[in-house]
Amino acid sequence: LAFEQDAALVSFNKQTGAAKLYGDELVALERRYAMSGVTMADSAEAFGALTRSVHGLRTMSQSARNDLVDTTAILQELGVSADTTGANVHFMTRSLGMSVKESSKYQRELFALAQQIGMPPAEMAEGFKSAQPKLAAFGKDAGRVFKKLATAARASGMEVQQMLGIVEQFDTFEGAATSVGKLNALLGGPFLNSMEMVMQTDPTERMRMLSGALNKAGKSFDQLTYYEKKSIAAAAGLSDVNELALVMAGNF
């Protein structure tokens, strides 16, 4: 153990230069979670990732820092990269204005949600990281929006980024009017309202409205002709006909 501690501290100091700041806490982390499989190398990796990713780590209270490193180390043991956890916490504290404890708690909630809906936890955490540029617009509500998106995406066989890409066209009146006008013309009725699509900012709700409009036209995906499928997919701003099938069959 002494050799492991020495090797881990040397490696940590080479990477971060912060052994004097966090050396004692790094050793304490290993002691707290040794029974959970957290080695000195794991502790160094978790602390190293947070030192690189989370600005302001030094100025946190020790209680908040302990909560963060404990979460990071345990999630790392369960397959979620420490770098990903660090990047997600940095986004939530800096861009969304959330506290360190709230951000740490949310990382654990994402892990629990991933288990609940049958998604690999690492994929869930990476999905949140990838969606950050678009989630930032939702402020402190971003966490709730992402959970809803992730659940709907899993149920419908889609990806979170895929869903966000589809509904982004409804962020402007011009984009919404163009897409809705084309769709209503192809579907043969006023099944969508451009004003409602713009005013509804929840991405999952927008997907539900789009899916509902496509199904209200009275034809299932199988009943659509070859050119109807391609035309409707293009009008809805979808990348291909396969996306149309997923949207029409989706559980949003």
Side-chain angles (χ1 to χ4, degrees), residues 32-252:
R32 285 198 300 276
Y33 290 103
M35 294 300 290
S36 299
V38 177
T39 65
M40 277 303 303
D42 294 333
S43 299
E45 188 176 344
F47 246 113
L50 294 176
T51 303
R52 292 189 297 271
S53 303
V54 182
H55 298 171
L57 188 68
R58 182 179 180 180
T59 58
M60 292 178 193
S61 68
Q62 188 163 343
S63 171
R65 192 162 55 239
N66 283 347
D67 186 54
L68 177 55
V69 297
D70 289 358
T71 294
T72 304
I74 290 296
L75 288 180
Q76 181 177 251
E77 283 301 300
L78 298 171
V80 180
S81 160
D83 284 312
T84 299
T85 300
N88 287 345
V89 169
H90 176 73
F91 167 69
M92 297 188 82
T93 54
R94 292 291 173 166
S95 299
L96 305 184
M98 297 174 68
S99 72
V100 177
K101 284 189 176 290
E102 286 175 326
S103 303
S104 297
K105 181 173 179 284
Y106 186 76
Q107 306 315 306
R108 300 192 293 271
E109 289 173 357
L110 283 184
F111 180 87
L113 178 61
Q115 290 187 309
Q116 184 180 339
I117 64 176
M119 177 185 287
E123 185 181 325
M124 174 74 81
E126 284 292 338
F128 182 77
K129 180 182 175 183
S130 299
Q132 286 174 10
K134 294 179 180 177
L135 290 174
F138 297 99
K140 289 188 176 181
D141 203 32
R144 181 197 65 79
V145 168
F146 179 78
K147 284 182 181 179
K148 195 173 177 181
L149 268 169
T151 304
R154 195 67 176 177
S156 60
M158 302 180 76
E159 300 293 332
V160 167
Q161 288 282 51
Q162 191 178 13
M163 287 174 60
L164 285 170
I166 291 170
V167 300
E168 199 171 29
Q169 63 187 310
F170 302 111
D171 279 346
T172 64
F173 287 106
E174 182 182 359
T178 300
S179 182
V180 168
K182 289 179 180 178
L183 274 173
N184 283 338
L186 286 168
L187 297 175
F191 297 107
L192 268 182
N193 182 297
S194 57
M195 182 65 74
E196 289 178 357
M197 292 299 282
V198 172
M199 298 305 292
Q200 177 54 264
T201 57
D202 187 306
T204 307
E205 289 303 310
R206 278 182 178 173
M207 287 297 296
R208 183 185 60 76
M209 291 163 70
L210 179 60
S211 179
L214 293 171
N215 286 298
K216 282 176 187 173
K219 282 187 178 181
S220 67
F221 179 79
D222 291 337
Q223 292 173 321
L224 295 173
T225 67
Y226 174 86
Y227 287 110
E228 281 178 327
K229 289 173 182 175
K230 294 184 78 69
S231 299
I232 292 171
L238 307 178
S239 62
D240 52 38
V241 171
N242 181 55
E243 269 195 358
L244 175 63
L246 293 174
V247 171
M248 290 184 74
N251 299 306
F252 303 108

